[in-house]
Amino acid sequence: MSERFQSVEAVREGLKSVDYLADDAIAGVAFLADRLDKPVLVEGPAGTGKTQLAKSVAEMIGARLIRLQCYEGIDESKALYEWNYKKQLLRIQTEDEGSDWDDVQGDIFSDEFLLTRPLLEAIRADEPVVLLIDEVDRVEVETEALLLELLSDYQVSIPELGTITAKQIPLVFLTSNNTRELSEALKRRCLFLHLDYPTMEREKEIVLTKVPDINEQLADQIARIVRSIRNMELKKHPSVSETIDWAKTLILLGRESITEEDAKETVNILLKYQSDIEKALKDFSSNSTVHFT
């Protein structure tokens, strides 16, 4: 397959063209994933742009995004494939009594009766694909083992059909919020990227990019206040997407700068636990870390 990216700089500029601001580490890992045909394991706190990275790469290269949203209890039938048992049963029932079982069995275990799920769909795709395996840390270790063959050889083994090898090598991104430790076997197959909350300067740049009508002063103030809130001991720190939502909220309210009253009235856009909101409100009132206009 032809190389998708010419250089690390080309990746960074390409991502910027679809409004994803990548640093050298992000662009470099995406570049190497393409050249080495390696999946990328992206770890970090929730809301730091891990899922969006895969979406943005797909948009940048014009590839179809196939997403497997992981959850506790997901199994092979939801991740890889399953047989259409009802259709198989109907097929058997329509056979003459004298039919040979080997012929019937060979017929019902064919593509016509196969229900593909995201992992197999990505392997069988003819067109360019970005496969996103989202929140892989939510699955059990046993289910995680299902991924190993795909991640190392880009193939899937189906007992009734044999081994299905990828028609084209998809770009694969796995995301993890570190709710549990992933196996060494899975990590060994992947390139690793850690995404933390952005610096204050980068978050300001993100806000300016994602909220076109905002002025630089308000974007700067938002980035500073969010940074100060993230320094608090909270149940859940504001994600980047929540920062953007807050910026859009302030624009909708016609604000060009943030007063203490503005922050108090809209802090629920940033924080989703009452205990966190109370801590932030107390900090706003004391002005110990946050400075308003």
Side-chain angles (χ1 to χ4, degrees):
M1 183 176 179
S2 60
E3 296 166 345
R4 299 175 179 91
F5 311 127
Q6 295 304 311
S7 64
V8 174
E9 178 64 25
V11 177
R12 188 168 57 246
E13 290 302 314
L15 286 171
K16 186 176 181 180
S17 72
V18 294
D19 292 340
Y20 190 97
L21 302 181
D23 58 18
D24 285 340
I26 295 171
V29 167
F31 174 78
L32 290 174
D34 175 44
R35 294 302 175 93
L36 300 175
D37 289 334
K38 284 274 195 178
V40 180
L41 173 60
V42 192
E43 288 189 342
T48 53
K50 301 185 297 295
T51 298
Q52 188 57 48
L53 173 60
K55 291 180 177 180
S56 297
V57 168
E59 182 181 357
M60 175 181 64
I61 64 176
R64 180 160 66 106
L65 179 74
I66 297 177
R67 180 175 181 173
L68 174 64
Q69 179 61 55
C70 298
Y71 55 87
E72 187 176 347
I74 193 171
D75 59 12
E76 186 179 68
S77 67
K78 301 300 181 185
L80 272 171
Y81 72 93
E82 66 177 327
W83 293 106
N84 189 333
Y85 299 115
K86 290 182 180 179
K87 191 173 180 180
Q88 286 176 322
L89 182 59
L90 288 172
R91 172 69 179 85
I92 293 171
Q93 290 174 341
T94 58
E95 282 294 318
D96 296 331
E97 290 187 7
S99 298
D100 183 83
W101 167 244
D102 289 337
D103 292 337
V104 176
Q105 185 183 32
D107 186 17
I108 64 174
F109 290 109
S110 61
D111 275 355
E112 181 184 351
F113 299 90
L114 187 66
L115 299 174
T116 60
R117 302 307 185 207
L119 299 182
L120 182 57
E121 187 179 353
I123 288 296
R124 301 182 77 183
D126 294 309
E127 74 277 17
V129 162
V130 172
L131 173 62
L132 169 60
I133 304 173
D134 214 5
E135 298 184 303
V136 68
D137 51 323
R138 289 182 177 271
V139 305
E140 293 85 354
V141 175
E142 295 78 12
T143 305
E144 187 183 308
L146 291 174
L147 301 172
L148 299 182
E149 181 183 17
L150 181 143
L151 297 179
S152 58
D153 300 317
Y154 295 101
Q155 65 182 33
V156 170
S157 295
I158 300 177
E160 298 85 354
L161 294 180
T163 300
I164 298 177
T165 303
K167 297 178 180 180
Q168 48 82 39
I169 303 298
L171 276 174
V172 182
F173 292 87
L174 302 91
T175 72
S176 168
N177 295 330
N178 293 320
T179 58
R180 73 168 178 84
E181 188 69 27
L182 299 173
S183 70
E184 291 294 330
L186 186 143
K187 287 189 172 184
R188 189 168 60 248
R189 287 162 169 79
C190 301
L191 301 176
F192 179 76
L193 175 65
H194 181 81
L195 287 187
D196 209 337
Y197 294 114
T199 63
M200 191 171 64
E201 292 75 17
R202 181 167 289 276
E203 191 146 29
K204 174 184 173 182
E205 189 178 357
I206 291 170
V207 170
L208 287 168
T209 300
K210 294 289 188 179
V211 189
D213 296 331
I214 199 167
N215 65 61
E216 189 164 345
Q217 178 189 349
L218 180 56
D220 182 76
Q221 204 175 6
I222 287 169
R224 290 178 184 277
I225 293 172
V226 170
R227 173 46 59 100
S228 69
I229 290 175
R230 288 203 188 111
N231 287 333
M232 299 177 189
E233 291 292 329
L234 302 176
K235 281 188 175 182
K236 178 189 175 301
H237 292 103
S239 67
V240 176
S241 63
E242 286 164 335
T243 302
I244 294 167
D245 288 342
W246 192 38
K248 290 178 179 178
T249 298
L250 292 166
I251 291 296
L252 287 172
L253 294 174
R255 304 296 189 265
E256 294 187 357
S257 61
I258 308 172
T259 65
E260 181 181 334
E261 194 62 31
D262 292 330
K264 287 180 177 180
E265 289 178 355
T266 59
V267 69
N268 60 307
I269 305 297
L270 287 173
L271 302 174
K272 306 301 166 63
Y273 288 93
Q274 186 58 33
S275 59
D276 291 347
I277 290 173
E278 289 171 359
K279 285 182 181 180
L281 292 177
K282 184 177 179 181
D283 193 78
F284 293 163
S285 298
S286 66
N287 280 322
S288 58
T289 58
V290 178
H291 300 286
F292 300 102
T293 54

